[in-house]
Amino acid sequence: MSEKKTKRRDFLFTATTAVGAVGAAAVVWPMIDQMNPDASVKALASTEVDVSSLTPGNTLTVLWRGKPVFIRRRTKEEIDEARAVKMEDLIHPEKDEDRAKNPEWLVMLGVCTHLGCVPLNDKGDYNGWFCPCHGSHYDTSGRIRKGPAPWNMEVPKYEFVNANTIKIG
Amino acid sequence: MSDHNYTPKSKVGQWFNDRLPLLTLANHLTDYPTPKNLNYWWTFGGILTFCLITQIVTGLTLAMHYIAHADMAFESVEHIMRDVNYGWLIRYIHANGASMFFLAVYIHIFRSLFYGSYKSPREIIWILGIIIYLLMMAAAFMGYVLPWGQMSFWGATVITNLFSAIPLVGEGIVTWLWGGYSVDNPTLTRFFTLHYLIPFLILGLVVLHIWALHVPGNNNPVGIDIKKPSKDTVPFHPYIVIKDGFALLMFMIVFAFFVFYAPNILGHADNYIEANPMVTPAHIVPEWYLLPFYAILRSVPDKLLGVVAMLSAILILAVLPWLDTSKIRSAVFRPLYKQFYWILVADVLILGYVGAMPAEGLYLLIARVATAYYFLHFLVILPVLGFKEKTLPVPLSITEPVLGGSPNLAAARNKESKIE
C-alpha cells in the first residue's frame, strides 16, 4: 500500500464529490437568489416628474425606486461656483459639465454615499448639501468635499421628455 | 464531567438513565460542585438565561398580533399598544427586555475580563459567548426595525449600507439584503423572519456555552484551578440556586422599574413617527447598547476603514485568550492589569457617550482618542503586560486566604493544617 496509485475507488470518490457539490450548489442558488429584487420591484423602474413649478434656487424631492431623487434648479451663482472648482480639490473628481448636462438642472439620487441617509438642502461648508448622519459635505454639484462619504451623489439615468417633464430611469 | 459520576437512586430512574442519560444532565443543576467563593458578578449567567426566555415568550406573543408589512407594521404596533389585552405590557417587557439583556451581557463580559475567565482552559466557552453576543446584536438590530418607525427605517438603511463598503461586490450585497433598491417591504419581512429565528439559535448556543462551562467548571474570583468536588466547592443546589435567585429578584426590580415607570426612556422618540424614506431624522443614533461601536465607526474618516474598525472592535474579543499573555487569571493578583481594566471600562463608557453625540468638534476628537486606546489595550497593553507585570502571590486553594486571613502563605497553610 506504500506506493500511491490512482485506483478505481479514488476516481469514484472524486466523481461522487464533484457531482454532489454541483447538485448542492444548484439547490442553494435559488435559496440565495430569492432574496434579490423580484419582478414587481424591478417593474417600477422609471418615473416622470413635472418640474414646471420649480423656480431657480429650489429643490424638488421625488421618490424613485424607494429612494429620494433631488431635482435642483440651480441659480447662476451655484453653477459658477460648481464649475470654478479645480479637479485636484475633489475627493471623487467629476466635472460639473458631466454631472449636469443642462447646467440649470441638477438631478441626482438624494442618498449620501456613506451610509445612505438623505442629505439636507442648502447646508454645509460648500453651500450644497450636508448629511446629518455622519457629517459629509457636498458642493452645489452634489460632489463630496468633506467627510466620510467616498463618492459624489449618484446621477441617475434621466431625460427631459419635454420642457416641463423629467423622466427618471 | 467525568470527575463526577452520577447514578439515580430509584430503580426506575436507573432504568431510564441507562437508556437516555437525561437525569445525569439534570444532576448538573443540583449536586454539581461549584466554587464556594463565587460572588454576585457570577449570577449574571442565570440572569441572562432569564432574559433570553423572557424575550422568547414575549416575542412569541407579540408575533400573534404584529403584521410584518411596510404598510401595516407601524399601525399593528400601535394596535398592540392600544387594543390588544395587556399588549402594552408585553411590548414594553420585550422592548426594555432587550436593553436589560444587553445590560446583563455587558456585566457578564466585563466580569470575565476582570477575573480572566476567558483564559485556558475556557477559550471555547468565551468564543461561544462572543458568537452569542454577535447574534444578540443582529437580533436586537432587526427587532428595532420591525415597528417601522423613522429610527427603524434609517437605522436599517445605515447598518445595511455598511456592507456597501466592501469593494466590488458591496453594492450587490446591499441590494440582495434589501430585496430592492432601498429598505422596503421585502427587507421588513426578511428581518422579521430572521428576528424570529435568531433567539432559537442563541438558545442552542447557550446550551453549548453551559456544556463547555461544565467541562472545566466555573472560574472563580481567585482565578485558580480547583478540584471538584472538594472543600473548595459547594453543590449547585441549594447554594448557587438561592444566590442566583436572589440576584435575579434584584435584577427584576430594575427591569420592572423601566417597564412600569420609564418604558420609553431607553428608546428614541423618532420611532413613534412612521417610516418616511424622504426624510432622514436630524440625528440618527442606534440603541444605547450599540453606541460604543457606533462611535468607533464614526471616528474613522474613511468608509471602508470605519466599517473594518467597528467589526474589528468586536472580533478582537474572540482572540482575547491569545492576546492576554499573563498566566494569572484574576485581576485581584494583577495590580497593573487591574488599573488598565478600569481604564478600559472608562474608555468604553466614553465611547458610548460620544457615540450618542454629534460627530463633530471635540466629540469627534474624544471618539478618536478613545478608539485608538481601545485597540491599544488589546493589541499592545495586554500582550506586553503578561511579560512585564509583577503579579502578587496566588493562594493554593480558595480556603487558604479565608482561613489564613493573612498575606503570609506559610502561616495560613500552617493554620489550615491545624484545623484539619
Side-chain angles (χ1 to χ4, degrees), chain A residues 44-49 62-65 166-169:
Chain A
L44 302 167
S46 72
T47 186
E48 288 193 8
V49 189
V62 295
L63 210 58
W64 173 65
R65 283 178 161 185
I166 296 178
K167 184 181 165 203
I168 306 166

Short mmCIF file of all heavy atoms in Angstrom, two decimals, chain A residues 44-49 62-65 166-169:
data_model
loop_
_atom_site.label_atom_id
_atom_site.label_comp_id
_atom_site.label_asym_id
_atom_site.label_seq_id
_atom_site.Cartn_x
_atom_site.Cartn_y
_atom_site.Cartn_z
N LEU A 44 -40.94 48.69 -11.35
CA LEU A 44 -41.12 50.11 -11.03
C LEU A 44 -39.86 50.89 -11.41
O LEU A 44 -39.33 51.66 -10.61
CB LEU A 44 -41.38 50.28 -9.54
CG LEU A 44 -42.60 49.53 -8.99
CD1 LEU A 44 -42.55 49.53 -7.48
CD2 LEU A 44 -43.88 50.19 -9.48
N ALA A 45 -39.40 50.71 -12.65
CA ALA A 45 -38.07 51.21 -12.99
C ALA A 45 -38.01 52.70 -13.28
O ALA A 45 -37.02 53.34 -13.04
CB ALA A 45 -37.50 50.44 -14.16
N SER A 46 -39.08 53.30 -13.83
CA SER A 46 -38.96 54.71 -14.18
C SER A 46 -40.15 55.54 -13.66
O SER A 46 -41.21 55.01 -13.36
CB SER A 46 -38.84 54.86 -15.70
OG SER A 46 -40.09 54.59 -16.29
N THR A 47 -39.91 56.84 -13.53
CA THR A 47 -40.96 57.72 -13.05
C THR A 47 -40.84 59.07 -13.76
O THR A 47 -39.74 59.49 -14.10
CB THR A 47 -40.88 57.87 -11.51
OG1 THR A 47 -41.98 58.62 -11.07
CG2 THR A 47 -39.61 58.56 -11.07
N GLU A 48 -41.99 59.72 -14.03
CA GLU A 48 -41.98 61.02 -14.71
C GLU A 48 -42.36 62.12 -13.74
O GLU A 48 -43.27 61.96 -12.93
CB GLU A 48 -42.94 61.00 -15.90
CG GLU A 48 -42.40 60.14 -17.04
CD GLU A 48 -43.15 60.34 -18.35
OE1 GLU A 48 -43.99 61.26 -18.43
OE2 GLU A 48 -42.89 59.57 -19.28
N VAL A 49 -41.64 63.23 -13.80
CA VAL A 49 -41.85 64.31 -12.83
C VAL A 49 -42.11 65.62 -13.57
O VAL A 49 -41.38 65.98 -14.49
CB VAL A 49 -40.60 64.50 -11.93
CG1 VAL A 49 -40.91 65.46 -10.81
CG2 VAL A 49 -40.11 63.17 -11.38
N VAL A 62 -38.30 63.81 -5.17
CA VAL A 62 -39.30 62.82 -5.57
C VAL A 62 -38.77 61.42 -5.24
O VAL A 62 -37.57 61.23 -5.07
CB VAL A 62 -39.61 62.90 -7.09
CG1 VAL A 62 -40.26 64.21 -7.43
CG2 VAL A 62 -38.37 62.67 -7.92
N LEU A 63 -39.70 60.47 -5.13
CA LEU A 63 -39.31 59.12 -4.78
C LEU A 63 -39.19 58.28 -6.05
O LEU A 63 -40.09 58.23 -6.89
CB LEU A 63 -40.37 58.52 -3.86
CG LEU A 63 -39.89 57.48 -2.85
CD1 LEU A 63 -38.81 58.05 -1.95
CD2 LEU A 63 -41.06 56.99 -2.01
N TRP A 64 -38.04 57.64 -6.21
CA TRP A 64 -37.82 56.75 -7.36
C TRP A 64 -37.16 55.49 -6.85
O TRP A 64 -36.12 55.55 -6.20
CB TRP A 64 -36.93 57.47 -8.40
CG TRP A 64 -36.50 56.59 -9.54
CD1 TRP A 64 -37.30 56.02 -10.48
CD2 TRP A 64 -35.17 56.18 -9.84
NE1 TRP A 64 -36.56 55.28 -11.36
CE2 TRP A 64 -35.24 55.37 -11.00
CE3 TRP A 64 -33.92 56.43 -9.26
CZ2 TRP A 64 -34.11 54.78 -11.57
CZ3 TRP A 64 -32.80 55.86 -9.84
CH2 TRP A 64 -32.90 55.04 -10.99
N ARG A 65 -37.75 54.36 -7.12
CA ARG A 65 -37.27 53.06 -6.63
C ARG A 65 -37.05 53.09 -5.12
O ARG A 65 -36.05 52.57 -4.61
CB ARG A 65 -35.94 52.71 -7.28
CG ARG A 65 -36.05 52.21 -8.69
CD ARG A 65 -34.64 51.96 -9.18
NE ARG A 65 -34.60 51.08 -10.32
CZ ARG A 65 -33.46 50.64 -10.86
NH1 ARG A 65 -32.31 51.02 -10.37
NH2 ARG A 65 -33.48 49.85 -11.89
N ILE A 166 -39.41 65.66 -16.53
CA ILE A 166 -38.19 64.85 -16.49
C ILE A 166 -38.60 63.41 -16.26
O ILE A 166 -39.42 63.12 -15.39
CB ILE A 166 -37.25 65.31 -15.35
CG1 ILE A 166 -36.77 66.74 -15.61
CG2 ILE A 166 -36.07 64.37 -15.22
CD1 ILE A 166 -35.87 67.27 -14.51
N LYS A 167 -38.00 62.51 -17.05
CA LYS A 167 -38.25 61.08 -16.84
C LYS A 167 -37.00 60.48 -16.22
O LYS A 167 -35.91 60.52 -16.81
CB LYS A 167 -38.57 60.41 -18.18
CG LYS A 167 -38.93 58.95 -18.04
CD LYS A 167 -39.20 58.34 -19.42
CE LYS A 167 -39.21 56.82 -19.32
NZ LYS A 167 -38.92 56.21 -20.59
N ILE A 168 -37.16 59.94 -15.02
CA ILE A 168 -36.02 59.35 -14.32
C ILE A 168 -36.08 57.83 -14.50
O ILE A 168 -37.13 57.22 -14.34
CB ILE A 168 -36.05 59.69 -12.81
CG1 ILE A 168 -36.13 61.21 -12.62
CG2 ILE A 168 -34.83 59.13 -12.11
CD1 ILE A 168 -36.50 61.62 -11.23
N GLY A 169 -34.94 57.24 -14.85
CA GLY A 169 -34.86 55.78 -15.00
C GLY A 169 -34.88 55.33 -16.46
O GLY A 169 -35.07 56.12 -17.37
#
